[in-house]
Amino acid sequence: MPQKLVIILASTDPLSGEALSAPLFQASVAAGMNYHVEVVCTGTAAKLLRNGAAASIHLKPDEKRSVYDFIKEGHAAGVRFFCFSPGLDVCHLRKEDLIPECSGVIGAAHFIEEIMSGDCRVLTY
């Protein structure tokens, strides 16, 4: 049985709390179920990992917690957040610009190797 879930944020609008609610919620739930969970942000979704960006986004208008609060909760539950290297270029980011909850930047070879393993399932948003 697979023990790893990779959630890829590729086409998700990083400024839309509504678009981010499902993947962030699923990541936290899966981590709470003791699965190894990684959220990989690529393309313009990498903006979500910029310091300060997620703190100003809310999942819905009446929600007091920000998207960053949900990222911190997921991270505390064991979710690891990564920036896919092309996202740095697309969003004009440097590693120093990323939130502390980001576990690092991954490249194509690492990414492909992970998602092709038989122990992994992938959700893409």
Side-chain angles (χ1 to χ4, degrees):
M1 175 182 232
Q3 293 299 308
K4 183 173 192 173
L5 174 63
V6 175
I7 297 176
I8 303 168
L9 301 181
S11 301
T12 303
D13 179 355
L15 304 178
S16 169
E18 293 170 347
L20 295 168
S21 62
L24 292 177
F25 179 71
Q26 291 166 357
S28 291
V29 169
M33 295 171 69
N34 294 318
Y35 290 104
H36 178 79
V37 182
E38 295 181 0
V39 174
V40 179
C41 298
T42 188
T44 59
K47 291 178 184 177
L48 184 64
L49 299 176
R50 181 190 305 268
N51 272 314
S56 63
I57 305 166
H58 296 269
L59 297 183
K60 53 187 180 179
D62 60 339
E63 177 64 54
K64 298 208 182 310
R65 295 176 296 168
S66 69
V67 167
Y68 186 52
D69 291 324
F70 285 95
I71 289 172
K72 290 189 290 188
E73 289 172 16
H75 185 260
V79 178
R80 297 179 69 204
F81 292 86
F82 290 95
C83 185
F84 189 47
S85 57
L88 289 177
D89 294 332
V90 169
C91 298
H92 308 289
L93 292 169
R94 297 169 301 153
K95 290 179 185 178
E96 303 82 46
D97 298 329
L98 303 174
I99 58 175
E101 293 76 15
C102 181
S103 295
V105 177
I106 60 172
H110 172 80
F111 182 67
I112 296 299
E113 186 175 341
E114 267 192 44
I115 64 173
M116 293 304 290
S117 87
D119 192 38
C120 182
R121 294 293 185 261
V122 179
L123 296 173
T124 305
Y125 292 89

